[in-house]
Amino acid sequence: MKKYTFAVLSVLTLLFASCKTSKTDKSAGDLFDTTWELEYISGPRIAFEGLYPHKKPQLTFDQKETKVYGNNGCNGYSAPYTLKGKSLTFGEAGPTTMMFCEGGGGEQEFLKQIKLVTSYSVDKDGKLNLIHENVPVMRFKKVAKQ
Protein backbone atom coordinates (compact mmCIF):
# COMPACT_ATOMS: atom_id res chain seq x y z
CA MET A 1 0.00 0.00 0.00
CA LYS A 2 2.88 2.38 0.77
CA LYS A 3 4.33 1.90 -2.72
CA TYR A 4 0.94 2.62 -4.31
CA THR A 5 0.45 5.80 -2.23
CA PHE A 6 3.98 6.95 -3.03
CA ALA A 7 3.44 6.32 -6.75
CA VAL A 8 0.16 8.29 -6.78
CA LEU A 9 1.74 11.20 -4.89
CA SER A 10 4.69 11.22 -7.31
CA VAL A 11 2.41 11.33 -10.34
CA LEU A 12 0.28 14.10 -8.83
CA THR A 13 3.38 16.13 -7.97
CA LEU A 14 4.64 15.85 -11.55
CA LEU A 15 1.22 16.76 -12.90
CA PHE A 16 1.00 19.92 -10.77
CA ALA A 17 4.56 20.92 -11.63
CA SER A 18 3.94 20.53 -15.37
CA CYS A 19 0.74 22.60 -15.16
CA LYS A 20 2.61 25.41 -13.45
CA THR A 21 5.36 25.32 -16.09
CA SER A 22 2.94 25.55 -18.99
CA LYS A 23 1.21 28.52 -17.37
CA THR A 24 4.54 30.34 -17.10
CA ASP A 25 5.35 29.54 -20.73
CA LYS A 26 1.97 30.96 -21.80
CA SER A 27 2.69 34.29 -20.10
CA ALA A 28 6.02 34.53 -21.94
CA GLY A 29 4.06 33.79 -25.12
CA ASP A 30 2.18 37.05 -24.56
CA LEU A 31 5.30 38.91 -25.71
CA PHE A 32 5.38 37.32 -29.14
CA ASP A 33 3.28 37.72 -32.30
CA THR A 34 2.44 41.29 -31.30
CA THR A 35 3.70 44.77 -32.03
CA TRP A 36 3.92 46.85 -28.86
CA GLU A 37 3.65 50.67 -28.86
CA LEU A 38 5.06 52.78 -26.04
CA GLU A 39 2.47 54.72 -24.04
CA TYR A 40 4.48 55.61 -20.90
CA ILE A 41 8.14 56.16 -20.06
CA SER A 42 9.54 57.20 -16.69
CA GLY A 43 12.17 59.80 -16.11
CA PRO A 44 11.78 62.83 -18.33
CA ARG A 45 10.08 66.01 -17.22
CA ILE A 46 8.81 66.61 -20.73
CA ALA A 47 5.25 65.54 -21.56
CA PHE A 48 5.04 62.20 -23.37
CA GLU A 49 3.62 63.81 -26.53
CA GLY A 50 6.54 66.28 -26.51
CA LEU A 51 9.05 63.42 -26.43
CA TYR A 52 7.40 61.63 -29.34
CA PRO A 53 5.57 64.24 -31.45
CA HIS A 54 5.68 62.27 -34.73
CA LYS A 55 6.09 58.57 -33.98
CA LYS A 56 5.91 56.52 -30.77
CA PRO A 57 8.48 53.78 -30.19
CA GLN A 58 7.38 50.27 -31.10
CA LEU A 59 8.82 46.82 -30.35
CA THR A 60 8.23 43.36 -31.83
CA PHE A 61 9.87 40.36 -30.16
CA ASP A 62 11.26 37.67 -32.48
CA GLN A 63 11.23 34.48 -30.43
CA LYS A 64 13.25 32.41 -32.91
CA GLU A 65 16.04 34.97 -33.36
CA THR A 66 15.86 36.24 -29.72
CA LYS A 67 15.92 39.80 -31.06
CA VAL A 68 13.59 42.70 -30.67
CA TYR A 69 12.84 44.99 -33.62
CA GLY A 70 11.03 48.28 -34.05
CA ASN A 71 11.79 51.94 -33.69
CA ASN A 72 12.89 54.20 -30.88
CA GLY A 73 10.63 57.10 -31.82
CA CYS A 74 12.90 58.28 -34.61
CA ASN A 75 15.27 55.65 -35.96
CA GLY A 76 14.98 51.90 -36.40
CA TYR A 77 15.82 49.80 -33.35
CA SER A 78 16.98 46.21 -32.97
CA ALA A 79 18.76 44.43 -30.15
CA PRO A 80 19.21 40.94 -28.78
CA TYR A 81 17.28 40.09 -25.63
CA THR A 82 17.57 37.47 -22.91
CA LEU A 83 14.38 36.03 -21.43
CA LYS A 84 14.35 33.65 -18.44
CA GLY A 85 10.95 33.39 -16.79
CA LYS A 86 9.99 36.98 -15.99
CA SER A 87 13.60 38.17 -16.18
CA LEU A 88 14.19 40.22 -19.34
CA THR A 89 17.28 42.15 -20.41
CA PHE A 90 18.25 43.83 -23.65
CA GLY A 91 21.69 43.74 -25.26
CA GLU A 92 23.38 46.52 -27.17
CA ALA A 93 21.29 48.02 -29.94
CA GLY A 94 22.34 47.09 -33.46
CA PRO A 95 23.03 49.48 -36.32
CA THR A 96 20.23 51.95 -36.96
CA THR A 97 19.25 54.54 -39.49
CA MET A 98 20.70 57.97 -38.79
CA MET A 99 17.70 60.20 -39.35
CA PHE A 100 17.47 63.65 -37.83
CA CYS A 101 14.30 63.88 -35.78
CA GLU A 102 12.69 66.89 -34.19
CA GLY A 103 11.39 66.43 -30.70
CA GLY A 104 12.27 66.55 -27.06
CA GLY A 105 14.94 63.87 -26.83
CA GLY A 106 12.61 60.88 -26.84
CA GLU A 107 15.03 58.66 -28.73
CA GLN A 108 17.78 59.11 -26.13
CA GLU A 109 15.33 58.58 -23.27
CA PHE A 110 14.06 55.36 -24.84
CA LEU A 111 17.61 54.00 -25.29
CA LYS A 112 18.52 54.99 -21.73
CA GLN A 113 15.47 53.35 -20.13
CA ILE A 114 15.55 50.11 -22.13
CA LYS A 115 19.11 49.44 -20.92
CA LEU A 116 17.80 49.50 -17.32
CA VAL A 117 15.14 46.80 -17.83
CA THR A 118 15.53 43.69 -15.66
CA SER A 119 12.10 42.05 -15.95
CA TYR A 120 8.64 42.36 -17.46
CA SER A 121 4.98 41.75 -16.74
CA VAL A 122 1.80 41.75 -18.78
CA ASP A 123 -0.99 43.23 -16.67
CA LYS A 124 -4.68 42.31 -16.60
CA ASP A 125 -5.37 44.92 -19.31
CA GLY A 126 -2.84 43.28 -21.64
CA LYS A 127 -0.24 46.06 -21.23
CA LEU A 128 3.45 45.15 -21.34
CA ASN A 129 5.41 46.69 -18.45
CA LEU A 130 9.20 46.77 -18.67
CA ILE A 131 10.54 46.88 -15.14
CA HIS A 132 13.74 47.99 -13.41
CA GLU A 133 14.12 46.79 -9.80
CA ASN A 134 10.33 46.30 -9.31
CA VAL A 135 9.49 49.73 -10.79
CA PRO A 136 7.87 49.92 -14.25
CA VAL A 137 9.98 52.22 -16.42
CA MET A 138 8.11 51.69 -19.71
CA ARG A 139 4.59 50.58 -20.59
CA PHE A 140 3.46 49.38 -24.02
CA LYS A 141 0.06 48.59 -25.53
CA LYS A 142 -0.66 46.07 -28.26
CA VAL A 143 -1.16 47.72 -31.63
CA ALA A 144 -1.00 44.81 -34.08
CA LYS A 145 -1.08 41.05 -34.11
CA GLN A 146 1.53 39.42 -36.34
Side-chain angles (χ1 to χ4, degrees), residues 1-145:
M1 184 68 176
K2 285 184 179 181
K3 288 182 180 180
Y4 177 74
T5 304
F6 180 74
V8 169
L9 286 174
S10 297
V11 169
L12 288 174
T13 301
L14 288 172
L15 181 64
F16 288 128
S18 67
C19 288
K20 185 173 182 178
T21 301
S22 64
K23 186 175 182 183
T24 302
D25 292 342
K26 181 185 180 300
S27 68
D30 289 344
L31 288 175
F32 307 109
D33 302 323
T34 299
T35 297
W36 299 95
E37 183 177 84
L38 186 69
E39 66 177 20
Y40 164 80
I41 189 165
S42 69
R45 293 182 174 228
I46 298 171
F48 184 79
E49 296 301 324
L51 284 171
Y52 307 105
H54 305 291
K55 180 168 48 171
K56 295 177 185 151
Q58 292 186 341
L59 298 176
T60 302
F61 289 84
D62 184 325
Q63 187 173 16
K64 186 177 179 181
E65 298 290 324
T66 61
K67 284 193 159 202
V68 63
Y69 301 94
N71 72 74
N72 56 27
C74 177
N75 290 293
Y77 176 81
S78 70
Y81 68 85
T82 303
L83 178 65
K84 293 179 184 167
K86 293 290 185 181
S87 173
L88 174 66
T89 55
F90 295 91
E92 284 299 313
T96 77
T97 56
M98 300 296 282
M99 295 174 48
F100 172 76
C101 300
E102 296 179 32
E107 179 179 25
Q108 291 79 19
E109 196 60 41
F110 176 87
L111 294 171
K112 177 180 152 191
Q113 294 296 333
I114 206 158
K115 287 179 185 177
L116 299 175
V117 172
T118 55
S119 63
Y120 83 98
S121 69
V122 177
D123 65 24
K124 64 181 169 111
D125 297 324
K127 307 281 176 113
L128 170 63
N129 293 286
L130 299 184
I131 301 165
H132 171 70
E133 296 181 358
N134 298 321
V135 177
V137 293
M138 302 170 99
R139 183 179 61 237
F140 294 79
K141 65 181 178 181
K142 292 180 182 182
V143 292
K145 278 282 197 190

